[in-house]
């Protein structure tokens, strides 16, 4: 994916201009009609099908080795005859914050932004839409959208593939691109916070079997591998981004909804588009390998300097990949602040450059493979304050199987705790007070007296989708916990997303006791309004969050001890 081969923002007709729309208070790109000429439309590129070969150019340049998988240019979205008249442009609600029109997303060696207001002209919309590269992930439904009240996860992949001018010194010379930097970005169901979890490339893990779609439309099955470096989940043996998604899902137990991928060139183009990113170093840097030279203190970097900053392994800490991840997280936090600053949001020219650079840099799955779908994602992210975006790294330890420490493995204690926090949608930061108040009110249900295990009466229904879950829970409750008045009621009428316990007011002490034993979160408790009869049981429905009899349903309320994290609103100096 070579961003230099794409169209540039300066290909827009010079007669185009940004003007203030008095109805919305926003700048919009409109064509100059002083000469009475009708609105024109930029030519669009034809859609590539899975089976059709791309039309050869008159003088093709040497092609980069593509990351495996079906990749196509996104054709323009049509309405009727393919033309969208200016008068049909949707009006935006007045008073909407500019910050809510900006899609802000960063990860590894890439960052991107899309600007809702920049698509005022159809020609520009068509141009930006065609910039995107799209990969169909085989066997995974990425078109479900973003459900209200449901958390979602996006995998951001920065590859070490060489594209663009001046990148010969980075990455493997003939590599199709490995997962050099990978971030699992979790967005909470109430959209108040997000967690960006970096996964070390040199971590040993298992890569599951995965299917990829080839350029001729056929599907290839790539066999599983065990105890290999995480970064070979992409590129090696023909693996595409869908294989990285499956690897992360198997590793963390967290369902990945979408992916976004870019290479080295993206960070150069993006930082230049925003006019540079502020970074801070505790001591002067002069790294001959990455060619990074910075004085002590704060500097504004872009282009080659920005790429050298996120790539260097010899300027900070103990020169390990784990210390490089910390520097990248600090850089991305600063990038986020710059993208959301008034210097960027109030500069129409800068926004246009940013949108063009961002879309040119991206490869995405089909579920978010158009401007309209990415703008939908923008709406989901718009309300998250930078102070509630937390960057952290998967806790790891040195690989005990190695005499010479070259790789790491997940920390057997801390890593599962962090996985559980993501699974249960637990924030690493403090969220807004009103959301916290609601959580406190729900948590109050767990405060009060407890009955004895022998007094608990409960009917157990299986809505988890796991065969035998209700019976295994009954066996555990009766044999290990002493809850003899428990009954297996077989399958629930339908599958349940979450485990719930329904009880009457006079059964609250029983509910609290059962919640203690099963590790039920306060949100699982559903009190009724009328008292139950003397021998009437409570109702427990096991949901998709059920992991096994005796395994707590909820994740930890707090992050693992000593977990390093940084909020996106903080300026941190690399050292």
């Amino acid at each position: 994916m070579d961003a230099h081969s794409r169209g540039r923002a300066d290909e827009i007709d010079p007669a185009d201009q940004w003007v203030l729309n008095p109805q919305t208070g926003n700048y919009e790109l409109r064509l100059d009609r002083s000469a009475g000429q009708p609105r024109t439309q930029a030519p669009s590129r034809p859609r590539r099908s899975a089976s059709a070969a791309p039309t050869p150019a008159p003088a093709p340049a040497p092609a980069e080795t593509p990351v495996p998988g079906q990749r196509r240019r996104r054709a323009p979205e049509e309405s009727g005859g393919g033309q969208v008249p200016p008068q049909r442009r949707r009006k935006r609600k007045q008073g909407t914050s500019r910050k809510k029109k900006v899609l802000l997303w960063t990860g590894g060696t890439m960052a991107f932004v899309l600007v809702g207001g920049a698509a005022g002209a159809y020609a520009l919309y068509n141009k930006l839409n065609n910039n995107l590269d799209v990969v169909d992930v085989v066997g995974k439904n990425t078109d479900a959208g973003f459900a209200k009240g449901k958390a979602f996860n996006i995998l951001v992949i920065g590859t070490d593939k060489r594209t663009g001018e001046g990148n010969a010194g980075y990455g493997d010379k003939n590599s199709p691109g490995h997962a050099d930097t990978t971030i699992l970005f979790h967005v909470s169901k109430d959209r108040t916070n997000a967690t960006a979890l970096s996964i070390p490339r040199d971590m040993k893990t298992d890569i599951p079997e995965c299917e990829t779609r080839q350029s001729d439309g056929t599907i290839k099955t790539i066999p599983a591998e065990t105890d290999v470096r995480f970064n070979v989940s992409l590129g090696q043996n023909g693996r595409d981004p869908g294989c990285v998604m499956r690897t992360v899902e198997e590793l963390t137990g967290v369902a990945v909804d979408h992916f976004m991928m870019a290479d080295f060139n993206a960070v150069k183009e993006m930082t230049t588009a925003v006019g540079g990113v502020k970074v801070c170093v505790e001591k002067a840097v002069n790294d001959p390998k990455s060619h990074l030279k910075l004085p002590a203190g704060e500097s504004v970097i872009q282009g080659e300097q920005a790429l050298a900053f996120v790539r260097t392994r010899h300027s900070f800490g103990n020169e390990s990949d784990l210390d490089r991840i910390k520097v990248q997280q600090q850089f991305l936090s600063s990038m986020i602040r710059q993208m959301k600053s008034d210097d960027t949001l109030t500069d129409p020219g800068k926004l246009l450059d940013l949108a063009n650079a961002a879309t040119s840099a991206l490869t995405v799955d089909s579920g978010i493979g158009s401007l309209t779908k990415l703008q939908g994602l923008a709406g989901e992210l718009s309300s998250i304050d930078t102070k509630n975006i937390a960057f952290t790294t998967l806790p790891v330890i040195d690989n005990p199987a190695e005499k010479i420490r070259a790789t790491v493995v997940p920390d057997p204690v801390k890593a599962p705790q962090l996985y559980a926090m993501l699974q249960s949608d637990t924030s690493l930061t403090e969220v807004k007070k009103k959301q916290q108040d609601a959580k406190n009110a729900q948590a109050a249900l767990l405060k009060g007296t407890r009955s004895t295990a022998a007094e608990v009466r409960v009917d157990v229904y299986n809505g988890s989708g796991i065969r035998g879950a209700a019976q295994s829970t009954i066996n555990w409750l009766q044999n290990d916990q002493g809850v003899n008045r428990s009954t297996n009621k077989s399958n629930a009428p339908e599958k349940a997303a979450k485990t719930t316990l329904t009880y009457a007011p006079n059964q609250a002490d029983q509910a609290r006791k059962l919640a203690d034993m099963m590790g039920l979160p306060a949100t699982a408790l559903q009190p009724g309004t009328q008292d139950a009869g003397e021998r009437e049981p409570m109702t427990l429905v096991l949901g998709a969050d059920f992991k096994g009899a005796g395994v707590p349903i909820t994740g930890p309320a707090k992050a693992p001890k000593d977990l390093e994290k940084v909020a996106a609103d903080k300026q941190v100096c690399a050292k």
Side-chain angles (χ1 to χ4, degrees), residues 22-51:
Q23 292 183 326
T24 65
N26 297 319
Y27 285 94
E28 296 180 2
L29 187 62
R30 300 183 186 278
L31 298 181
D32 187 353
R33 302 191 181 193
S34 60
Q37 299 298 320
R39 186 180 299 274
T40 60
Q41 178 179 326
S44 63
R45 288 178 287 224
R47 180 187 296 271
R48 294 182 190 172
S49 66
S51 58

Side-chain angles (χ1 to χ4, degrees), residues 527-568:
T529 57
Q530 295 182 346
D531 284 347
E534 182 178 355
R535 298 185 179 183
E536 186 175 344
M538 301 180 294
T539 299
L540 175 69
V541 178
L542 302 176
D545 54 356
F546 174 81
K547 303 176 184 65
V551 180
I553 298 293
T554 186
K558 296 182 179 179
K561 187 178 181 181
D562 302 325
L563 179 71
E564 294 187 19
K565 60 182 185 294
V566 59

Side-chain angles (χ1 to χ4, degrees), residues 372-404:
T372 53
K373 292 176 180 178
L374 285 173
Q375 287 172 323
L377 175 59
E380 301 298 323
L381 301 176
S382 62
S383 62
I384 305 177
D385 196 299
T386 53
K387 69 181 180 181
N388 290 325
I389 302 175
F391 286 89
T392 191
T393 304
L394 178 64
V396 293
I397 59 174
D398 288 332
N399 189 345
E402 296 176 337
K403 291 183 179 180
I404 299 177

Side-chain angles (χ1 to χ4, degrees), residues 279-479:
V279 297
C280 179
V281 296
E282 287 197 353
K283 58 184 180 180
V285 174
N286 186 359
D287 179 12
K289 292 189 176 181
S290 67
H291 307 294
L292 177 65
K293 292 184 179 181
L294 289 176
E298 292 186 349
S299 299
V300 176
I301 60 175
Q302 61 180 314
E304 289 287 348
Q305 261 197 322
L307 179 58
F309 185 82
V310 298
R311 288 292 302 162
T312 182
R313 291 187 61 169
H314 304 284
S315 301
F316 308 109
N318 62 8
E319 302 185 9
S320 70
D321 185 55
L322 295 178
D323 281 309
R324 188 182 69 137
I325 288 175
K326 294 178 184 178
V327 172
Q328 290 175 349
Q329 292 173 348
Q330 294 161 13
F331 175 85
L332 295 174
S333 295
S334 183
M335 173 73 90
I336 289 176
R337 294 193 299 273
Q338 178 62 28
M339 287 180 174
K340 298 192 82 169
S341 70
D342 288 339
D343 288 344
T344 300
L345 297 178
T346 59
D347 187 331
K350 188 177 290 186
L351 286 176
L352 177 58
D353 289 344
L354 193 53
N356 187 64
T359 51
S360 296
L362 280 178
T363 299
V364 299
D365 62 81
S366 58
I368 50 175
S370 71
L371 274 183
T372 53
K373 292 176 180 178
L374 285 173
Q375 287 172 323
L377 175 59
E380 301 298 323
L381 301 176
S382 62
S383 62
I384 305 177
D385 196 299
T386 53
K387 69 181 180 181
N388 290 325
I389 302 175
F391 286 89
T392 191
T393 304
L394 178 64
V396 293
I397 59 174
D398 288 332
N399 189 345
E402 296 176 337
K403 291 183 179 180
I404 299 177
R405 306 303 191 192
T407 62
V408 294
V409 295
D411 186 301
V413 176
K414 295 181 180 179
Q417 292 176 346
L418 193 54
Y419 302 156
M421 292 190 72
L422 294 176
Q423 294 163 7
S424 61
D425 196 31
T426 303
S427 174
L428 294 182
T429 64
E430 294 182 2
V431 295
K432 295 179 181 179
K433 188 176 184 302
K434 65 179 182 179
Q435 280 84 9
Q436 193 61 51
D437 289 344
K439 291 183 178 180
N440 290 340
Q442 186 70 30
L445 296 175
L446 291 173
K447 296 180 180 179
T449 59
R450 267 76 171 159
S451 67
T452 64
E455 293 172 320
V456 173
R457 294 178 181 270
V458 61
D459 287 342
V460 181
Y461 292 83
N462 183 10
S464 69
I466 300 175
R467 186 175 181 179
Q471 188 57 51
S472 65
T473 299
I474 292 295
N475 294 340
W476 175 76
L477 285 173
Q478 294 181 353
N479 298 331

Side-chain angles (χ1 to χ4, degrees), residues 116-153:
Y122 179 70
L124 178 58
Y125 175 91
N126 184 46
K127 171 185 172 59
L128 296 179
N129 206 54
N130 283 339
N131 281 349
L132 291 167
D133 275 342
V134 179
V135 169
D136 291 325
V137 179
V138 179
K140 191 170 184 64
N141 178 21
T142 60
D143 296 323
F146 305 99
K148 184 177 180 181
K150 181 180 178 181
F152 65 90
N153 303 282

